[in-house]
Amino acid sequence: MLAALGGLGLSFVLLWARQTQQLANEQAQLNSELSAIRTRLEAVAQATFSPTVGLEAMIQLDGGISNARFEALNRRVVKLLPEVRSIVAAPDDVARYVYPLQGNEAVLNLRYREVPLQYAQIQQARALGQPLLVGPVKLVQGGQGIIQRTPVFLPATGSSADAGTGSDQSAGRYWGVISVVADLDLFMRAAGLNDHASLRLAVFQLQADRLTIRAPIWGDPALATLPTAVHQSVQLPGATWSISAAPGATPDWRAKAYGLEFFASLLGSAALSGVASLAVYRRRMLLQQNRMLAQQIEQSLRTQTDLEAAQSRFKSLTELSADWVWEQDENFLFTFTSRSTEEATQVGSPQLLGLKRWESPALAPGTDWSGHIASVERHQPFRNFEYAQYAEDGTLRYVSISGRAFFDAQGRFKGYRGTGRNITESKLAERELRESKAALTLALDRLQAVLNAAQEFSIIATDLEGRVSLFNRGAEHMLGYTQAEMVGLSPARLHLASEVIARGAELSASLGRPIQGFDVFVEVARSSGSETRVWTYVRQDGSHLEVSLTVSLVLSQTGEPSGFLGIARDITAQRQAQRQLADLNAELESRVESRTAELKQAQAVLSQAKEELLRSEKMAALGSLVAGIAHELNTPLGNCLTTASTLEELTAQIRRSFEHGQMRRSVLEAYLNDAQTASSIMLRSMATANELVAHFKQISVDQTSAQRRRFSLQSVVEDVLSLLRTQLRKAGVEVKVDLDRTQELDSFPGPLGQVLTNLILNANLHAFEARPSGACIHIRAVAVDERSFTLTVEDNGCGMRAEVQRRAFDPFFTTKMGSGGTGLGLNIVYNIVTGILGGQIELHSEPGMGSRFVMRLPFVAPFVAP
């Protein structure tokens, strides 16, 4: 009996040990499964309430939002997230925007202040200054739901008049609240809580201490007090929940406990000593295993807590960082992208998860992925790999990524982790910089071309030490030196030594200090900005010529002196004529006074002079053509010189006001207006001079210089009129445009624009000379067939006589020679139309009936071999 009682007691001890071990194993398994469920619940919550982030950022950026933008932003969100019932934006706590509106009409224009329960939630979120998640809430549409209230604060401006709480004042002016309503059952189904039939699950709200359960949200409320249930906290945007789990069926440990071990203990009761020893040993081993298992469970819980804290810190850092975080598995498939990825790239996470990076449908062509794929297949780290992809709105986004492979404890490759960055702005800035450099280079080339075209002027630039840095073509022709011979030397070698010494002595006497060397030429310009003086130049062959030299001080963008500019004009003939005239006047006066008796001889001399004047008058008619051309070129260059001198004087005045502390806003504003006007005058004058020189040197258009592309006729006409609108408005000329062509042209927009410009300016100069009221230029385009169209430029001006009409397209023929006409405008038009554009042109005109130029042009210009 004692042995039987001992064996029975031993059996029950074994039964208890078995129960303890199995309960510990079930607890560990529940914790593992519950951790996975909690992670998915957090991810679904982040995705469900992510629309508030975009809406909040848009409202803070623009100061508000329109109904169209609100619907456009939320339409795709509601489609992708079926658990979202509605999204409501309530500026000043009034529901002005509701999506979808169907089924939620009662919410539109709802004043939350009139609904105490909801307004209390909004006030709580506003006081916290962050989102607040409340639930469960009974929905009007039926069922239970959860609502996230997100207060929106506009950036503080320093003069905010919003009377709110302290939190409002620190965050900026309170705009209103954004509410996202989600169906509770659909939300839990999306989180996968309905997919675990073997578990009893429940979700509860936590108290402020985040430890004590407050109220049930979903599932079996009995799990809150069930001893065998396990609990884990869930961090959601706006709330902290607790998720609990317990086995779905009654544990069968009792049935398993009455197994072989129990019956074996009964059968072995006859040998109580051996069985007792075995039971004690078995119990000790089980206790030791239980202690080890308890320690492992405790260590696992601590590790899980540390992991949750690290995940929370990591999420906070990734949300605050301008970069985003991503992760790929061993097959290079995306398993995770942070929320900032969608904000930076405008490519949703569902489009990337489960795909390789180079398989994304949003990728833009043009990236060589072979090297990158080979590198990651070798598990090598990479940095700053760049590629482009399309955002949801169709714009191009540039991305730079860096990553490193990670391995498990056994050294097996498990995937890649890394960061990404949106480099679109830097890419666009680099492209703009390249375009700016190209434009600057083009402007410098054009300026050099203008300087070289001004061959009647010697233009020499030096640095502050007097070394020549620029020697234009006019200086080469005037002095006989080349630019290569003069660069780096002093311009003093071009002057008479005696004049330099005399001018130095004059300046030394007036300034009270010795002036010599290069300072003789620039001392006055250094103090007053510019100086114009007559000098004698010595050419390379030793001959002399008199010039009017203007020396100006050149300032950098910061206002610091950077060099000097000398512009000289040959006045040898003018000075010689003046001296000859002075000598002649003196001689005539002497003859009149001393030789009155020789009147007849004086009359003969006068008659001879009269004949010489007649011959000179005849020669003047011959040189009128050259004089007119020279006048047209001298006028813009003279305008540039005068404007530049005036701008230098204004700059010196404004500098003196600045240095004496007398700068006023009105003075600075007037200077800026004058400077802008002067710059415009100089640019227009230089462009005019450049165009005239190009016209005089080359009558036919250089076909190889034109750029061929596809364009619309409307755009070319608008560009030409935008450049000429001011000039035409001053002349009182109206331009009418009637274009019925929508088909694009494959031709040369530059030459076509030049044709229109020349025809319009020709009409303004010749057709409306009397400036009549109602002056009008009409531009029309009509299709002839599938391959060509007619372009007509017609005016209602004075028209042309028959002899003028016959010679209208001849080179250098003009009725305004010397008065603004060069005689090349219509000749250039004819060459461009019949040449590079591959068309025909006709002129129809009658005196008093205006003129009409009809051009027949192909849609596709002929291809000309380079």
Side-chain angles (χ1 to χ4, degrees):
M1 186 179 294
L2 291 175
L5 291 176
L8 184 60
L10 180 60
S11 299
F12 281 104
V13 169
L14 293 175
L15 181 64
W16 174 81
R18 182 72 172 180
Q19 175 187 358
T20 303
Q21 181 181 7
Q22 187 170 353
L23 180 61
N25 291 336
E26 289 179 354
Q27 291 285 326
Q29 184 178 359
L30 279 176
N31 270 313
S32 177
E33 294 181 1
L34 190 59
S35 178
I37 296 173
R38 174 186 57 80
T39 302
R40 183 172 179 181
L41 179 59
E42 289 180 345
V44 171
Q46 289 286 351
T48 300
F49 301 111
S50 60
T52 58
V53 177
L55 287 173
E56 183 180 7
M58 185 179 299
I59 292 171
Q60 290 177 345
L61 181 63
D62 299 336
I65 189 171
S66 65
N67 192 48
R69 296 184 69 185
F70 177 84
E71 290 186 0
L73 186 61
N74 294 315
R75 183 180 298 111
R76 183 173 179 270
V77 172
V78 174
K79 182 178 180 181
L80 295 177
L81 302 173
E83 64 270 21
V84 176
R85 283 290 189 88
S86 63
I87 303 175
V88 181
D92 297 327
D93 297 334
V94 180
R96 302 295 188 189
Y97 311 99
V98 180
Y99 188 88
L101 184 59
Q102 184 177 2
N104 297 293
E105 292 83 359
V107 182
L108 187 63
N109 296 322
L110 175 65
R111 298 182 180 272
Y112 286 121
R113 297 177 185 270
E114 299 175 1
V115 183
L117 180 59
Q118 297 190 29
Y119 189 66
Q121 298 169 0
I122 294 173
Q123 288 294 93
Q124 183 180 357
R126 180 176 178 182
L128 293 174
Q130 60 186 12
L132 176 66
L133 185 62
V134 296
V137 178
K138 186 176 181 182
L139 300 179
V140 178
Q141 302 91 334
Q144 297 289 325
I146 52 176
I147 302 177
Q148 185 197 49
R149 309 284 190 183
T150 301
V152 179
F153 300 93
L154 299 181
T157 60
S159 59
S160 177
D162 184 17
T165 64
S167 177
D168 292 350
Q169 296 171 357
S170 64
R173 182 172 63 84
Y174 175 69
W175 178 84
V177 67
I178 300 174
S179 301
V180 177
V181 181
D183 186 281
L184 182 58
D185 290 335
L186 293 179
F187 177 82
M188 295 303 176
R189 186 177 296 114
L193 270 69
N194 295 327
D195 300 336
H196 301 273
S198 61
L199 297 178
R200 297 167 58 194
L201 297 173
V203 179
F204 302 89
Q205 291 183 355
L206 292 181
Q207 299 286 3
D209 58 359
R210 298 187 177 181
L211 297 174
T212 306
I213 294 177
R214 185 176 67 182
I217 297 177
W218 178 87
D220 188 359
L223 295 182
T225 57
L226 187 65
T228 58
V230 294
H231 310 275
Q232 291 186 12
S233 62
V234 182
Q235 298 293 332
L236 301 179
T240 302
W241 289 356
S242 174
I243 183 170
S244 303
T250 303
D252 59 346
W253 57 267
R254 292 184 179 86
K256 294 180 180 179
Y258 289 99
L260 296 176
E261 292 180 358
F262 179 75
F263 291 102
S265 65
L266 294 177
L267 294 174
S269 60
L272 183 58
S273 299
V275 176
S277 300
L278 181 62
V280 171
Y281 176 76
R282 178 69 174 172
R283 184 175 183 277
R284 288 179 178 178
M285 292 298 295
L286 290 176
L287 290 176
Q288 184 178 1
Q289 290 179 1
N290 289 338
R291 285 195 297 269
M292 293 179 61
L293 183 58
Q295 292 176 358
Q296 292 177 359
I297 293 175
E298 184 179 359
Q299 180 65 27
S300 176
L301 291 176
R302 287 198 299 266
T303 302
Q304 182 177 352
T305 303
D306 295 340
L307 180 60
E308 291 177 353
Q311 287 180 341
S312 178
R313 291 193 298 270
F314 178 73
K315 288 181 179 179
S316 300
L317 290 175
T318 55
E319 290 176 356
L320 294 175
S321 174
D323 297 347
W324 64 82
V325 181
W326 53 269
E327 183 173 313
Q328 294 172 319
D329 60 13
E330 62 272 14
N331 297 319
F332 310 113
L333 302 178
F334 276 109
T335 58
F336 171 76
T337 59
S338 60
R339 185 175 61 183
S340 54
T341 306
E342 300 182 1
E343 300 173 358
T345 64
Q346 293 297 309
V347 177
S349 296
Q351 298 184 30
L352 299 177
L353 296 180
L355 295 177
K356 298 179 181 179
R357 187 184 308 277
W358 46 88
E359 295 176 351
S360 172
L363 288 179
T367 302
D368 184 8
W369 288 94
S370 58
H372 175 73
I373 295 174
S375 175
V376 298
E377 288 179 347
R378 295 192 297 268
H379 305 161
Q380 296 177 344
F382 59 90
R383 289 182 59 84
N384 300 328
F385 177 75
E386 298 179 1
Y387 63 93
Q389 62 184 13
Y390 292 105
E392 293 179 353
D393 57 1
T395 59
L396 199 62
R397 300 294 177 94
Y398 294 91
V399 175
S400 174
I401 58 171
S402 301
R404 180 179 295 273
F406 65 94
F407 305 85
D408 59 12
Q410 289 73 33
R412 293 190 298 268
F413 173 70
K414 300 302 292 181
Y416 267 87
R417 294 191 183 103
T419 60
R421 173 171 296 180
N422 186 351
I423 60 172
T424 304
E425 294 184 359
S426 62
K427 282 291 185 180
L428 295 179
E430 290 177 2
R431 184 171 65 186
E432 292 178 358
L433 179 60
R434 289 194 300 269
E435 294 175 353
S436 177
K437 289 183 178 179
L440 178 59
T441 301
L442 180 60
L444 292 176
D445 293 341
R446 290 179 176 176
L447 177 60
Q448 184 66 41
V450 172
L451 295 178
N452 291 335
Q455 298 189 12
E456 292 188 1
F457 294 87
S458 167
I459 302 177
I460 303 174
T462 68
D463 56 17
L464 294 176
E465 287 72 27
R467 294 185 293 267
V468 174
S469 59
L470 173 66
F471 200 79
N472 79 325
R473 297 282 178 80
E476 292 179 347
H477 294 165
M478 184 180 294
L479 299 171
Y481 294 96
T482 64
Q483 182 173 355
E485 293 174 338
M486 289 301 301
V487 170
L489 302 179
S490 173
R493 68 183 300 177
L494 304 175
H495 293 262
L496 280 177
S498 57
E499 282 189 352
V500 176
I501 295 173
R503 179 57 177 168
E506 179 183 349
L507 290 174
S508 299
S510 61
L511 299 178
R513 53 186 175 87
I515 304 297
Q516 58 185 0
F518 182 68
D519 292 340
V520 172
F521 307 105
V522 300
E523 186 62 31
V524 176
R526 185 183 286 118
S527 58
S528 62
S530 64
E531 179 193 24
T532 301
R533 186 176 180 83
V534 176
W535 291 88
T536 300
Y537 270 173
V538 180
R539 305 182 78 251
Q540 187 180 29
D541 58 5
S543 59
H544 296 177
L545 56 89
E546 294 182 273
V547 297
S548 174
L549 175 62
T550 299
V551 179
S552 303
L553 177 65
V554 179
L555 301 178
S556 65
Q557 293 183 351
T558 60
E560 297 295 329
S562 60
F564 298 93
L565 180 67
I567 301 177
R569 181 169 57 89
D570 186 3
I571 60 172
T572 302
Q574 178 183 346
R575 298 278 290 182
Q576 183 177 359
Q578 291 176 350
R579 288 193 292 270
Q580 289 177 354
L581 181 59
D583 294 342
L584 179 60
N585 289 337
E587 182 181 358
L588 290 176
E589 185 176 356
S590 174
R591 289 180 180 180
V592 169
E593 293 178 354
S594 61
R595 300 177 64 184
T596 306
E598 300 180 0
L599 180 59
K600 290 184 179 181
Q601 185 177 357
Q603 288 178 346
V605 172
L606 290 176
S607 299
Q608 184 179 359
K610 182 177 180 181
E611 292 176 359
E612 292 292 332
L613 290 175
L614 290 175
R615 285 193 295 270
S616 298
E617 189 70 21
K618 293 178 181 180
M619 294 299 296
L622 179 62
S624 60
L625 174 63
V626 177
I629 295 175
H631 176 74
E632 291 296 328
L633 184 61
N634 288 337
T635 299
L637 292 178
N639 291 340
C640 288
L641 181 61
T642 303
T643 305
S645 302
T646 304
L647 185 59
E648 290 290 339
E649 294 176 1
L650 293 176
T651 304
Q653 293 176 5
I654 200 69
R655 176 172 290 278
R656 287 194 294 271
S657 300
F658 175 79
E659 292 175 349
H660 291 85
Q662 298 176 353
M663 180 69 71
R664 292 179 300 177
R665 179 182 179 89
S666 59
V667 174
L668 178 60
E669 185 176 4
Y671 169 75
L672 293 176
N673 293 334
D674 294 337
Q676 183 177 3
T677 303
S679 300
S680 301
I681 293 174
M682 288 191 290
L683 287 174
R684 288 196 302 269
S685 299
M686 285 191 291
T688 302
N690 186 32
E691 182 181 0
L692 287 173
V693 171
H695 287 173
F696 298 153
K697 293 179 65 178
Q698 182 180 355
I699 296 175
S700 63
V701 176
D702 185 5
Q703 299 181 5
T704 61
S705 65
Q707 296 296 325
R708 182 191 190 99
R709 63 180 175 87
R710 298 185 65 87
F711 61 96
S712 66
L713 180 61
Q714 181 72 30
S715 63
V716 174
V717 174
E718 290 177 355
D719 291 341
V720 170
L721 294 181
S722 65
L723 296 175
L724 303 178
R725 186 168 288 109
T726 302
Q727 182 176 354
L728 296 175
R729 186 186 302 113
K730 292 181 179 179
V733 178
E734 179 186 6
V735 178
K736 295 182 179 179
V737 179
D738 184 12
L739 305 177
D740 63 349
R741 288 308 308 160
T742 58
Q743 179 178 344
E744 288 188 342
L745 306 182
D746 184 1
S747 187
F748 302 89
L752 181 57
Q754 186 177 3
V755 167
L756 293 173
T757 302
N758 287 7
L759 291 178
I760 294 173
L761 292 180
N762 187 75
N764 183 41
L765 179 63
H766 297 281
F768 307 118
E769 180 180 7
R771 295 292 181 261
S773 59
C776 179
I777 298 175
H778 195 180
I779 302 175
R780 298 191 305 273
V782 179
V784 178
D785 50 31
E786 295 180 355
R787 292 181 296 178
S788 63
F789 67 99
T790 60
L791 178 61
T792 304
V793 179
E794 182 179 9
D795 63 76
N796 59 351
C798 60
M800 303 181 190
R801 300 188 307 275
E803 58 270 23
V804 174
Q805 184 176 349
R806 284 194 302 271
R807 299 187 59 191
F809 296 111
D810 293 343
F812 297 106
F813 173 77
T814 179
T815 59
K816 297 291 183 180
M817 180 62 68
S819 301
T822 62
L824 298 175
L826 291 183
N827 181 260
I828 293 174
V829 168
Y830 181 85
N831 289 335
I832 292 176
V833 172
T834 59
I836 189 172
L837 297 182
Q840 302 174 357
I841 185 170
E842 297 177 359
L843 170 60
H844 305 277
S845 180
E846 293 181 9
M849 301 299 292
S851 301
R852 183 173 73 258
F853 295 85
V854 181
M855 294 164 282
R856 181 164 180 169
L857 302 173
F859 290 117
V860 179
F863 288 85
V864 181

